[in-house]
Amino acid sequence: MIEKYRHPFWIVGGGGMRNNRKKARHEFSRGEKSGLYKAILKRRDVRGQFEPHPIPDSILARILNAAHHAGSVGFMQPWNFILIKDEQVKRQVKAVFEKANTTAAQVYEEPLRSKYLSMKLEGVLEAPLNICVTCDPTRGGPHVLGRHTIPQTDIYSTCCAIQNLWLAARVEGLGVGWVSILSRERLKEILRLPPHVSPVAYLCIGYPERFEPMPELEKVGWLKRLPLGEIVLSETWDEKDEA
Amino acid sequence: MIEKYRHPFWIVGGGGMRNNRKKARHEFSRGEKSGLYKAILKRRDVRGQFEPHPIPDSILARILNAAHHAGSVGFMQPWNFILIKDEQVKRQVKAVFEKANTTAAQVYEEPLRSKYLSMKLEGVLEAPLNICVTCDPTRGGPHVLGRHTIPQTDIYSTCCAIQNLWLAARVEGLGVGWVSILSRERLKEILRLPPHVSPVAYLCIGYPERFEPMPELEKVGWLKRLPLGEIVLSETWDEKDEA
């Protein structure tokens, strides 16, 4: 653990942000930087409070384009974005969630189980748009550059695209909720995915009434945010080489 | 395929960005938005051209904090960041890369092999800082909320954190290169990771002389960027329900 990261001297936008340092050559302006940091800090997993009105096509295209500009191993761009607005498709997905959620609740003892069941964990029907982000491991041919030793990098790239989408949605005032309480096999059937294509994320998107000031699980005391200093290590896991 | 996404009418910052639309309630200002989109579009995988001077601690803390504010399944925050500056550790990692890269080159026939070997694919020694981002699947206890049906969501969360780090680095003028041509097992040994902890990304970070205007693999013609319209689908993979 690196002690100095315990202290939030680096608070974004704080007086010490520039210090006496010369601006680095390719550094963004202060305003541009704050746009990025604000998006990162104010992004939330939005599960409820979706307003019903649809997302304009031009805005949807912008956030999809943002996702598509993530880096990918060997430039393979393994992602697809399935836009789901149809009520029947959504209802099928919602049923898959309900089943998985009932099973998931059983692993908790009371009073945790009641707390779990009291939380709204998805907005499949309320969100005007759902997006399934998939990963096609065959994209880019059999010898994707850089994927020889770690084939899972196709999935990693897809997740980077999802984070871009999430941040772009936030600056547009759109909330995104990632529904992970789903059977992947059932989802593949409903969305008629080819056997080799993985559904990586099922996202619910729309304009929310509000963004919470902190993650819901932090707010309700489910888990605490870890201090940054506890998760930053020096040189090796056991830090034997720490200078 | 959705035909309308073929046309880049949504170009960021273009005249049509606002149209006649009322600003959405939680939408960022135009300047803040452009900071985020610019970071997404100008982020590159930087493998060379690293200048040797170090990254100030306050800036490093900001980009680590950005990574740490990614969403994670059940708020488990499964990531650690191992900061590697020690020349000896770097040299061991570089040797692991060299071995994996020699093997990887063998899968290509000429003239592709020569093209492959002519590209600089990592900056382990040149970058003043390397960061290994790991994922601890035991973080947050045995029953992480939302991870019951898709246990891989711990890795997905870690990749979202990596994308945050990559974007934050970009606005600070820092280049990041993700080295995927490595044996994970050897990397675990060098960094003394516990058996259950996965190294997800090995990143090289520093101030680069320049950021390329487009991804290197696109520039050298290794692969083309896919048109957005080809990867956006409606309702299902086969689009039988398309309205």
Side-chain angles (χ1 to χ4, degrees):
Chain A
M1 194 253 286
I2 299 182
E3 189 60 33
K4 64 189 170 204
Y5 295 114
R6 277 201 172 283
H7 306 293
F9 61 83
W10 34 263
I11 286 182
V12 173
M17 191 162 174
R18 282 280 180 77
N19 302 330
N20 298 318
R21 192 173 55 81
K22 209 180 97 195
K23 191 162 176 285
R25 207 185 316 183
H26 304 287
E27 194 177 336
F28 284 18
S29 73
R30 191 171 181 130
E32 289 169 334
K33 279 195 200 185
S34 78
L36 183 267
Y37 284 116
K38 187 174 155 187
I40 286 174
L41 296 176
K42 292 188 176 285
R43 182 208 51 79
R44 289 289 167 270
D45 191 70
V46 176
R47 301 92 174 261
Q49 313 110 32
F50 284 113
E51 295 178 346
H53 54 277
I55 303 163
D57 281 344
S58 59
I59 291 176
L60 178 56
R62 273 211 296 276
I63 71 172
L64 293 171
N65 191 49
H68 188 39
H69 278 76
S72 59
V73 63
F75 204 49
M76 74 180 289
Q77 310 160 71
W79 41 70
N80 281 86
F81 305 93
I82 307 179
L83 310 184
I84 299 149
K85 298 176 188 174
D86 187 278
E87 186 79 10
Q88 274 192 306
V89 179
K90 285 181 176 177
R91 286 201 182 280
Q92 289 179 69
V93 174
K94 172 83 175 194
V96 175
F97 164 79
E98 295 286 10
K99 191 171 174 204
N101 199 44
T102 303
T103 309
Q106 304 309 313
V107 305
Y108 302 107
E109 302 288 335
E110 289 295 357
L112 221 50
R113 187 184 299 174
S114 296
K115 196 171 196 176
Y116 178 89
L117 288 168
S118 73
M119 284 190 273
K120 176 142 180 59
L121 299 177
E122 53 71 46
V124 172
L125 297 180
E126 301 91 329
L129 177 69
N130 295 181
I131 300 181
C132 184
V133 186
T134 62
C135 176
D136 180 348
T138 67
R139 188 77 51 80
H143 299 303
V144 168
L145 189 151
R147 205 181 145 216
H148 186 73
T149 37
I150 310 178
Q152 301 90 328
T153 41
D154 59 346
I155 298 278
Y156 301 173
S157 303
T158 304
C159 295
C160 289
I162 294 164
Q163 184 66 7
N164 273 6
L165 185 156
W166 214 336
L167 295 172
R170 181 62 192 87
V171 304
E172 302 291 352
L174 285 162
V176 173
W178 183 327
V179 188
S180 61
I181 306 168
L182 289 172
S183 151
R184 284 149 78 101
E185 286 313 309
R186 281 290 296 125
L187 194 58
K188 285 183 74 163
E189 285 167 27
I190 294 167
L191 302 179
R192 303 195 199 109
L193 301 189
H196 68 284
V197 172
S198 300
V200 177
Y202 193 88
L203 308 173
C204 302
I205 308 187
Y207 292 100
E209 282 172 34
R210 61 180 179 281
F211 284 89
E212 299 294 342
M214 61 168 71
E216 189 182 354
L217 295 183
E218 187 176 12
K219 192 179 75 177
V220 304
W222 188 272
L223 282 174
K224 288 192 165 72
R225 183 176 298 279
L226 300 169
L228 184 59
E230 280 183 31
I231 52 172
V232 178
L233 304 165
S234 182
E235 302 302 343
T236 58
W237 188 271
D238 54 9
E239 301 188 306
K240 277 190 190 152
D241 292 333
E242 187 166 5
Chain B
M1 192 254 286
I2 299 183
E3 189 59 34
K4 63 189 171 205
Y5 295 115
R6 277 200 171 284
H7 307 294
F9 60 82
W10 33 263
I11 285 181
V12 173
M17 192 163 175
R18 282 281 179 78
N19 301 330
N20 298 317
R21 193 173 53 81
K22 209 181 96 197
K23 192 163 175 284
R25 208 186 315 185
H26 304 287
E27 194 176 335
F28 284 18
S29 72
R30 193 176 178 122
E32 288 169 336
K33 280 194 199 186
S34 79
L36 183 268
Y37 284 116
K38 187 174 155 186
I40 286 174
L41 297 176
K42 292 188 176 289
R43 183 209 51 79
R44 289 289 168 272
D45 190 70
V46 176
R47 300 93 173 260
Q49 313 109 34
F50 284 114
E51 294 179 346
H53 53 276
I55 302 163
D57 281 344
S58 59
I59 292 176
L60 179 56
R62 274 213 295 278
I63 70 171
L64 294 171
N65 192 49
H68 188 40
H69 278 76
S72 59
V73 64
F75 205 48
M76 73 181 289
Q77 309 160 73
W79 41 70
N80 280 86
F81 304 93
I82 307 180
L83 310 183
I84 299 150
K85 298 177 188 173
D86 187 277
E87 186 80 8
Q88 274 193 307
V89 180
K90 285 180 177 179
R91 285 199 181 281
Q92 289 179 70
V93 174
K94 173 83 176 197
V96 174
F97 163 80
E98 294 286 9
K99 191 171 175 204
N101 199 43
T102 303
T103 309
Q106 304 309 312
V107 306
Y108 302 106
E109 302 288 333
E110 288 296 355
L112 221 49
R113 187 184 299 172
S114 295
K115 196 171 196 174
Y116 178 90
L117 288 168
S118 73
M119 284 188 275
K120 176 143 179 62
L121 298 177
E122 53 68 50
V124 172
L125 297 179
E126 301 90 330
L129 178 68
N130 294 181
I131 300 181
C132 184
V133 186
T134 62
C135 176
D136 180 348
T138 67
R139 190 78 51 79
H143 299 303
V144 169
L145 189 150
R147 206 183 145 214
H148 185 73
T149 37
I150 311 178
Q152 301 91 328
T153 41
D154 60 345
I155 298 278
Y156 300 174
S157 303
T158 304
C159 294
C160 289
I162 293 163
Q163 184 66 6
N164 272 7
L165 185 156
W166 215 335
L167 294 172
R170 181 63 192 88
V171 304
E172 301 292 350
L174 285 162
V176 174
W178 183 327
V179 188
S180 61
I181 306 168
L182 289 171
S183 150
R184 283 148 80 100
E185 285 315 308
R186 280 291 296 127
L187 194 58
K188 285 183 74 162
E189 286 168 26
I190 294 167
L191 302 178
R192 303 193 200 110
L193 301 188
H196 68 284
V197 172
S198 300
V200 177
Y202 193 87
L203 308 173
C204 302
I205 308 188
Y207 292 101
E209 282 172 32
R210 61 180 180 280
F211 285 88
E212 299 295 340
M214 61 169 71
E216 189 181 356
L217 296 184
E218 188 177 10
K219 192 180 76 175
V220 303
W222 188 272
L223 282 174
K224 288 191 165 70
R225 185 177 296 279
L226 300 170
L228 184 58
E230 281 184 28
I231 53 173
V232 179
L233 303 165
S234 181
E235 304 300 345
T236 58
W237 188 271
D238 53 9
E239 301 190 304
K240 278 191 189 149
D241 293 331
E242 186 168 4

